[in-house]
Amino acid sequence: MVAKPRWIIHVDLDAFFASVEELLHPKLKGKPIIVGGDPKGRGVVASASYAARAYGVHSAMPMAQALRLCPEAVVISPHHEEYARRSQAVMGILREITPQVEQISIDEAFLDVTGCERLWGPVRQMGEMIQRRIFEEQGLPSSLGIATSKLVAKIACAEGKPRGLVFVPAGEEQAFLAPLPIEKLWGVGKVLGAKLRARGVRTIGDLATWELEQLVQEFGEVGRMLYLGARGIDKSPVRSSRERRSISQEATFAHDTADRELVRRMMLQMSEELAARLRKRHLVAQTVRIKLRYPDFSTMTRQVTLSQPTDQAMVIYEYAWELLHQYWPPGRRLRLIGVGLSGLFEGGYQLGLFDHQDQRWIRLSQALDEIRQRFGRRAITRASLLERKKRSGSLKR
Ligand SMILES: [Mg+2]
């Protein structure tokens, strides 16, 4: 018997900060609006209205570059209190639909509406009602994706933007994903995307033709995620905010550094320690986050949601490194780096579909944890950590 599908809705407000500014200043409606830091300083775009995006402006772009692309844009410095207030109001609407709401950022949430049909009607209708209520009650445009998993719902939502509602029926996940460019898959950034393209993988459908063994051989642990992702398989649950926790580590370098090898080893060590902490508490993590601080103390955080939660250091490390690659220009010195994990939940050593094949990995990790417990944290480290030079600084929790 086939299990009944879950129904997950991903809600994402469109150009949230810019949309709030339009509400606050109705005269600006439809104009290119950029919310962000001081254009004369080193600020970046926090949010751009769709009129500004038409010029190629996007968030995280340096303000100076954004203004070269769109000189007539209205620049507004962010009103964070106002955004927080509106965000809470929207989350309130979502929690009236179901308590199973997982807020993943100020303007994004997953809802698990499995079984809510009795109360609110078919899922698609439910989505339309949510979108209408957010607009009528808060004046904010939003996009929704509806599917049987968080992975597919989030991608569907992005496909419909702005003001979209994309519904992927049960059983059509793989067909829906197939034509999309490979970078749309969670965890596939520029570096991994380029590696895949170099092997002729341009779409998620191309990826789905690869065998599991082949992917693992080429991409290590990330290969497993790719295999599942290409099939739209994602069993991760929607966790209401109460259950969300996080752990992190960061390290300040003794001297600001642009040494990639040093940073890489530091990141590997932090991933090892975080994974060991997860396993000790029988937790798995859904989201990997990095933090970078530059010598001028400006700080950036970026995160990626995994299609399968993990407690494995190599998975954490590979995603953290991929993120870092994307946001750390060569030659720019760093003052501090951090790796964090969130979306933690009880999972112990369960890896779902791959239980059997992961046994060796899991036994190895368990053995390492035991030795660390008996002989101290420093007893075992991966070979590449041993080369770490003294100047690399200290770890702090
Ligand atoms: Mg948004």
Side-chain angles (χ1 to χ4, degrees):
M1 206 180 85
V2 179
K4 265 195 153 183
R6 291 189 300 157
W7 284 112
I8 311 293
I9 302 181
H10 181 250
V11 180
D12 188 0
L13 302 175
D14 297 331
F16 176 47
F17 297 174
S19 299
V20 172
E21 296 300 338
E22 281 189 357
L23 286 176
L24 297 176
H25 315 280
K27 273 187 206 149
L28 297 180
K29 194 142 187 69
K31 296 223 167 81
I33 300 172
I34 297 176
V35 179
D38 180 6
K40 290 183 201 81
R42 303 211 298 199
V44 295
V45 175
S47 174
S49 68
Y50 277 86
R53 290 180 196 207
Y55 291 83
V57 176
H58 57 76
S59 50
M61 176 182 274
M63 285 299 278
Q65 188 187 350
L67 286 172
R68 273 198 302 276
L69 290 169
C70 183
E72 63 269 53
V74 181
V75 177
I76 303 176
S77 27
H79 297 98
H80 289 294
E81 273 174 33
E82 186 65 25
Y83 308 149
R85 205 174 61 74
R86 306 259 175 177
S87 165
Q88 274 168 24
V90 170
M91 297 301 154
I93 295 175
L94 302 182
R95 289 193 183 95
E96 285 176 25
I97 308 297
T98 171
Q100 293 301 311
V101 175
E102 177 181 353
Q103 184 175 353
I104 55 174
S105 72
I106 191 163
D107 69 335
E108 261 181 280
F110 286 111
L111 286 71
D112 186 336
V113 295
T114 313
C116 295
E117 293 96 325
R118 280 181 306 246
L119 206 54
W120 303 110
V123 277
R124 194 189 189 114
Q125 222 170 286
M126 232 183 284
E128 286 162 358
M129 174 183 71
I130 291 169
Q131 199 172 34
R132 193 170 55 240
R133 282 195 59 185
I134 293 173
F135 191 70
E136 285 174 1
E137 296 172 29
Q138 291 301 318
L140 292 167
S142 63
S143 296
L144 277 73
I146 309 176
T148 57
S149 67
K150 287 161 84 172
L151 170 79
V152 180
K154 186 165 163 79
I155 296 174
C157 177
E159 283 309 289
K161 278 193 157 290
R163 292 172 186 257
L165 189 154
V166 176
F167 172 68
V168 182
E172 291 180 25
E173 296 84 357
Q174 192 170 341
F176 163 75
L177 295 175
L180 303 179
I182 192 69
E183 288 80 6
K184 300 262 175 172
L185 213 51
W186 286 1
V188 179
K190 272 186 207 149
V191 177
L192 186 52
K195 275 189 203 165
L196 286 163
R197 281 177 183 272
R199 288 161 177 78
V201 178
R202 279 179 290 273
T203 64
I204 299 177
D206 294 339
L207 185 63
T209 64
W210 284 49
E211 300 290 337
L212 174 63
E213 293 71 26
Q214 210 180 350
L215 283 171
V216 170
Q217 208 164 31
E218 292 271 335
F219 303 103
E221 286 303 297
V222 169
R224 292 180 199 283
M225 309 276 187
L226 293 174
Y227 181 85
L228 293 172
R231 284 157 182 76
I233 299 172
D234 163 32
K235 304 202 160 169
S236 57
V238 169
R239 298 169 318 275
S240 57
S241 308
R242 247 171 288 115
E243 304 166 56
R244 291 182 73 219
R245 288 168 284 186
S246 72
I247 57 173
S248 64
Q249 285 211 328
E250 52 185 57
T252 303
F253 295 105
H255 303 284
D256 298 342
T257 184
D259 179 345
R260 295 190 96 73
E261 198 44 37
L262 173 66
V263 172
R264 194 182 68 79
R265 283 200 296 271
M266 189 62 111
M267 204 161 236
L268 184 55
Q269 177 170 359
M270 290 193 284
S271 304
E272 295 264 4
E273 304 227 2
L274 288 170
R277 282 164 69 189
L278 281 180
R279 290 195 295 268
K280 200 169 160 192
R281 292 156 64 184
H282 303 286
L283 296 173
V284 287
Q286 180 88 59
T287 301
V288 175
R289 180 177 73 239
I290 59 159
K291 177 170 168 185
L292 302 179
R293 180 167 294 147
Y294 300 105
D296 65 358
F297 282 88
S298 59
T299 303
M300 194 191 73
T301 60
R302 285 291 179 274
Q303 64 177 43
V304 59
T305 302
L306 312 183
S307 53
Q308 288 282 109
T310 191
D311 60 6
Q312 298 296 305
M314 284 316 285
V315 176
I316 296 165
Y317 164 73
E318 283 169 19
Y319 279 101
W321 184 243
E322 164 82 10
L323 274 180
L324 184 81
H325 244 295
Q326 288 180 49
Y327 295 102
W328 183 28
R332 182 149 188 204
R333 286 183 305 140
L334 294 175
R335 178 184 167 79
L336 168 151
I337 60 165
V339 179
L341 303 173
S342 58
L344 307 187
F345 52 94
E346 308 282 335
Y349 290 93
Q350 292 162 23
L351 288 173
L353 272 178
F354 294 103
D355 273 352
H356 183 64
Q357 300 181 36
D358 277 335
Q359 284 311 308
R360 240 185 27 186
W361 261 90
I362 291 165
R363 276 202 304 272
L364 175 68
S365 297
Q366 282 172 334
L368 290 176
D369 290 346
E370 270 172 38
I371 293 170
R372 280 200 190 96
Q373 243 164 33
R374 285 175 57 195
F375 301 108
R377 234 154 42 82
R378 302 274 170 211
I380 297 183
T381 50
R382 285 181 202 272
S384 67
L385 291 180
L386 296 175
E387 303 150 31
R388 200 162 63 90
K389 292 173 194 129
K390 271 215 181 98
R391 66 189 173 94
S392 62
S394 56
L395 278 179
K396 87 177 176 232
R397 280 192 186 161

